[in-house]
Amino acid sequence: MRIAHLPALLCLLLASVHIAEAKERLLWLVRDLPPFTIFEGPAKGSGVIDQLLPQLIAQMPEYEHSIIRVNRARGIQMLQERSFTCDPTLLWTPERARYVHFSTPSLGVLSSGLVIRKQDLALLSPYLEGQQVDLQQLLAQTQLKLGIVAERSYSVQVDQVLRQLPDSAFSRHYGNDATANLLQMQRLGRLQLVLGYWPEVRYLIQQQGGSLDDYSFHPIRGVDRYQFLHVGCSDTAQGREAIAHIDRLLPALREQTLPELYAGWLDPALRQDYLEQARYFFEPRH
């Protein structure tokens, strides 16, 4: 009787192998981007997206998942190639919307700003209004260069300011550790200004053994205090299907999980205010 059942069992096994092999492979693009993804050091794997991604993957068993590390420029290139790729830390921009299918917003984060060493603060004083800097005037009227990560968006509003400036105003970095390298250049005096996000910069300065007391962070005048991350997938039938599934998972995560994870990386004085604001990020607006 057992021998008679063998062909049927073999057929079932082969069918299950075929089904497993038939799963589409979704490539998740990540880069070293504290406090969202952290690849090295004592905080390795404890970033906001480091903890989100396993939850998304566990709830998307219809795909085989691979996580690959790329810099921002390579990640954008892969999304344009129309392979089945998704990036969990994308800002929406009109340019990216031509080739990326975006999820609903997943997390509100503090906007980027200007990072300068306090010893150079006098360079900014003519361009400050309160703590906010008029970045366009600063770069248009001085010979200072601004360190930025190549192909990175700093929000639609900030990108618009940057587009109005000559290419000579920027020092672009393409590497995997671009922001960290820009901060090193700044510390060595080869660069005075770096555009960045304070939670990220704060973490990197401490990793490099620097003192936060030596730095000053200035929001950019005219830019909203918060911007919103999305998951973005290649704009293909596969990518759109994946985003439809992700959009069903995000409401619970962005309400119950993500704000708390992000708040843990903020200056202690900012945490409670951020969590209070985050309660209203995704409420319907009338």
Side-chain angles (χ1 to χ4, degrees):
M1 186 67 110
R2 288 178 186 164
I3 294 172
H5 286 158
L6 275 176
L9 286 171
L10 283 171
C11 287
L12 283 171
L13 284 170
L14 288 170
S16 65
V17 168
H18 177 72
I19 290 168
E21 287 177 347
K23 283 187 179 182
E24 295 171 316
R25 183 169 295 278
L26 194 169
L27 302 178
W28 289 99
L29 308 178
V30 297
R31 62 196 195 281
D32 206 357
L33 187 67
F36 304 108
T37 45
I38 301 172
F39 294 155
E40 306 293 343
K44 178 180 178 180
S46 64
V48 178
I49 301 300
D50 288 326
Q51 296 179 71
L52 167 68
L53 210 43
Q55 296 184 53
L56 288 180
I57 288 171
Q59 296 178 80
M60 299 175 71
E62 66 270 35
Y63 303 115
E64 291 290 335
H65 298 266
S66 294
I67 300 173
I68 60 174
R69 181 182 181 181
V70 293
N71 61 36
R72 167 47 68 222
R74 176 59 183 144
I76 291 296
Q77 185 181 36
M78 289 181 70
L79 287 164
Q80 289 174 311
E81 289 169 354
R82 302 179 69 79
S83 54
F84 188 21
T85 53
C86 296
D87 187 318
T89 56
L90 274 185
L91 295 177
W92 183 93
T93 71
E95 296 80 16
R96 290 175 178 176
R98 294 199 296 263
Y99 54 87
V100 173
H101 191 67
F102 284 91
S103 72
T104 55
S106 60
L107 177 65
V109 301
L110 288 165
S111 291
S112 59
L114 193 64
V115 179
I116 190 168
R117 289 173 65 81
K118 286 182 179 175
Q119 65 188 36
D120 297 322
L121 206 48
L123 298 170
L124 288 195
S125 56
Y127 306 97
L128 288 179
E129 188 176 297
Q131 284 299 301
Q132 295 190 333
V133 62
D134 187 329
L135 186 63
Q136 187 173 354
Q137 276 204 346
L138 170 67
L139 293 176
Q141 297 179 9
T142 69
Q143 297 299 309
L144 296 171
K145 282 187 179 287
L146 177 67
I148 62 173
V149 178
E151 305 297 333
R152 186 176 191 177
S153 172
Y154 292 91
S155 82
V156 171
Q157 290 175 310
V158 177
D159 295 347
Q160 182 62 31
V161 172
L162 301 183
R163 268 195 293 270
Q164 296 175 44
L165 295 162
D167 199 57
S168 57
F170 306 111
S171 177
R172 287 184 171 84
H173 204 294
Y174 285 83
N176 283 333
D177 304 310
T179 303
N181 289 332
L182 288 168
L183 289 169
Q184 287 179 338
M185 290 169 66
Q186 186 180 47
R187 195 173 73 242
L188 294 170
R190 292 161 52 195
L191 192 65
Q192 280 74 45
L193 312 174
V194 173
L195 187 59
Y197 296 86
W198 185 238
E200 175 185 10
V201 169
R202 181 171 171 262
Y203 172 84
L204 291 172
I205 289 169
Q206 291 172 318
Q207 285 297 105
Q208 293 175 0
S211 170
L212 296 176
D213 292 337
D214 294 337
Y215 291 83
S216 186
F217 176 82
H218 297 274
I220 298 165
R221 200 174 81 184
V223 171
D224 294 338
R225 188 177 187 196
Y226 297 104
Q227 55 191 230
F228 295 89
L229 295 184
H230 302 254
V231 181
C233 296
S234 45
D235 191 12
T236 62
Q238 294 168 312
R240 289 189 290 272
E241 187 176 332
I243 289 294
H245 191 157
I246 290 164
D247 275 342
R248 294 194 293 273
L249 303 175
L250 281 179
L253 290 166
R254 72 186 188 185
E255 182 179 330
Q256 300 166 13
T257 305
L258 293 174
E260 289 283 351
L261 291 175
Y262 179 69
W265 291 93
L266 300 180
D267 285 316
L270 291 176
R271 287 174 192 165
Q272 199 53 48
D273 179 61
Y274 168 79
L275 287 172
E276 187 64 29
Q277 296 288 326
R279 291 169 54 196
Y280 305 103
F281 282 159
F282 305 113
E283 285 194 347
R285 296 179 183 177
H286 302 290

